[in-house]
Amino acid sequence: MGWHSPVTPGKNLYFRENAAEVLDLDYQAAVSEANQITSLLVGCEIALYMANRLRAYTDFLYRLPVTLTRTNFETAVTELYAHVLRFLARAIRIYQTSTTHRALHAFWTDSDVASFEKVCKELGVRVDIEASSCDRTLSAQDRERVGNLRQDLQEVLKELRKSHRLQESLDRFETKIDLDKLPYAKGAMYNSYGDDHIICHPATRVDLLHQIYDWAQHPHSKSIFWLSGWAGIGKSTISRTVAKWVASQGGLGGIDLGASFFFKRGEGDRGSTSRFFPTITRELVSKIPGLDTLVAEVITQDPLIFDKALGEQFDKLIYQPLRQVKFIGNDSSTFIVAIDALDECERERDVKVIIDLWSRLAHLTTVRLKLFLTSRPELPIQLGFKKISAAIYQDIILQDAVPHATIQHDILTFLKDAFGEIRNSYNLDPLSGTPLDRDWPGDKRLQALVDIAVPLFIIAATVCRFVGDSDWDPRERLETILQFPNIGKLEQMAQIYLPVLTQLSARVKNSHDKDKLYEEF
């Protein structure tokens, strides 16, 4: 008689089923443990980033004089510090338990890390706001010193943000490869190489710029700010000034530059909308965490998206990814998109499409995105705004909003400063051997130029470029402008450009070349 197992068939089945349960529990515990470790690593990376920011804030704090605003800043820093410590203390406490107990009870989830990051961002914004207010009650001397300290703080925070983003980008290498496929309009950014980098003189446009800055910073202001005005009145200079100022904030005070696009007719892609949305997208993905992955998925699924209609480009590259991104923007940063000279877009129907599409972003709940837009008050743009809700945008007509006396003051301030530079530059090596007088060109001539230029800043700028030509004596050039025959009978723009063209043509002897010069001018 052979050997028989004492276990009956029913008991054998029972043990097999229980063994499978045990194995399944072990598997679930292992998976849960791996997921929790991944979440912890993400949380620790965030904590490390915030700890480095706290170090920068603390260095700034110790150098501040004792005031009420310093106390408010210190309180905000302390709350952020305590939040990070609580997170790390909980992590240590959890990971002192056994692996199985920790895994089966799911002490740590992705939502915990997301919640930690969200509160870090909220507290970080509060700290930034308090840091920007630390000079309100100080003397002029202390205010200047604190201003320098705040600039140092901003530089440190910018470098930390770069390092933080670099660490994230290492984990998304394939995403970055896909994003490299994003076409863009070269030269369209506000600070592009080779473009005009002129910004407003610090003592000009003061009230208008403060109004724009207040709109940008206020969390409940309208989502679109439309600044319109005549050609040559200075809209692009204002746009560039606003874009540069917002970019310099770098998140401090709750705002950052999301993207910029400066239209320019006849300058390739800058004169059309074919690369408008891809260019904006390319800039936004570098500022909004998590957006790059979503956009990369769109490119993978639809590699030809860049040649589709504007509506489809907007929906797939901007609107849908922004709706899905897991970045809490309503309680933290506001991203400003600066679009200059929309009237320079070559296809009128595209202008109305852009305004209509952009108005949809006002209803986003994931990211706070605002649009600063400038243009001439041309009919297609006016019609575009009439089709969207007035609750979405505010508008200013530049020549009507700024008092005449303020424009005169601003242009005079600009001319005084510019002619001072012309005088100093010329006197280094005067062509005629006779340097310019210290008070050249004098108040009377400056006032005459102001009268010619008001309200168009472009006329003042053109005068300065013409007079400041290093190949000519600036005294002669200035007199050419002021004494041109019948100048009072000409239209305002012609008062400047006709003597400029006359001076240029005097240097061209061939009649064919003169005709070509006139045509190009």
Side-chain angles (χ1 to χ4, degrees), residues 124-185:
V125 168
R126 183 188 165 194
V127 172
D128 288 339
I129 292 174
E130 295 296 346
S132 66
S133 303
C134 282
D135 60 352
R136 286 186 303 182
T137 59
L138 300 177
S139 64
Q141 183 177 359
D142 284 341
R143 189 179 296 115
E144 182 178 1
R145 184 173 67 85
V146 170
N148 293 331
L149 291 175
R150 190 164 58 239
Q151 287 182 0
D152 294 340
L153 173 64
Q154 290 180 16
E155 290 301 319
V156 172
L157 294 178
K158 283 182 182 178
E159 291 302 316
L160 288 175
R161 273 189 282 271
K162 288 179 182 178
S163 300
H164 185 54
R165 290 173 185 148
L166 177 61
Q167 183 61 44
E168 292 174 343
S169 69
L170 292 175
D171 299 328
R172 296 194 294 267
F173 184 68
E174 292 184 1
T175 296
K176 294 301 179 185
I177 293 176
D178 284 335
L179 294 178
D180 285 340
K181 299 174 184 176
L182 272 169
Y184 64 98

Side-chain angles (χ1 to χ4, degrees), residues 295-478:
V295 173
E297 291 176 0
V298 171
I299 298 173
T300 301
Q301 295 170 8
D302 189 358
L304 301 179
I305 182 61
F306 314 114
D307 296 321
K308 302 290 180 66
L310 287 180
E312 191 168 351
Q313 287 188 37
F314 171 81
D315 188 67
K316 290 186 176 180
L317 292 174
I318 295 181
Y319 185 64
Q320 294 301 335
L322 286 176
R323 286 187 62 192
Q324 299 171 38
V325 72
K326 295 179 180 179
F327 173 70
I328 308 302
N330 287 328
D331 299 319
S332 52
S333 293
T334 296
F335 296 96
I336 308 297
V337 175
I339 300 176
D340 180 66
L342 183 58
D343 55 279
E344 291 282 307
C345 177
E346 293 166 354
R347 295 176 58 174
E348 290 186 357
R349 62 182 180 182
D350 289 349
V351 168
K352 290 184 283 187
V353 170
I354 286 177
I355 295 171
D356 178 61
L357 292 173
W358 204 274
S359 67
R360 296 169 57 190
L361 296 178
H363 307 294
L364 285 175
T365 58
T366 53
V367 177
R368 187 188 299 133
L369 207 63
K370 292 183 180 179
L371 173 65
F372 178 73
L373 170 69
T374 70
S375 74
R376 300 178 191 177
E378 295 188 350
L379 184 60
I381 300 175
Q382 294 184 44
L383 293 176
F385 275 102
K386 283 183 178 179
K387 289 185 177 180
I388 66 175
S389 171
I392 293 176
Y393 74 95
Q394 69 181 85
D395 62 316
I396 286 181
I397 301 174
L398 188 52
Q399 62 268 17
D400 295 340
V402 182
H404 187 79
T406 301
I407 297 176
Q408 285 183 314
H409 167 270
D410 288 353
I411 291 181
L412 180 59
T413 300
F414 169 78
L415 288 172
K416 282 182 177 180
D417 191 70
F419 272 87
E421 292 182 7
I422 292 171
R423 182 176 59 246
N424 294 336
S425 178
Y426 179 80
N427 285 347
L428 292 174
D429 186 20
L431 291 175
S432 64
T434 305
L436 299 171
D437 295 336
R438 290 182 60 184
D439 61 348
W440 180 87
D443 293 341
K444 185 176 180 180
R445 288 186 176 87
L446 285 174
Q447 188 58 51
L449 293 176
V450 171
D451 293 339
I452 293 173
V454 169
L456 304 182
F457 266 84
I458 194 172
I459 290 181
T462 302
V463 167
C464 294
R465 284 195 293 268
F466 179 72
V467 175
D469 189 333
S470 59
D471 293 332
W472 295 82
D473 187 318
R475 286 166 291 216
E476 295 178 4
R477 302 283 268 190
L478 179 56

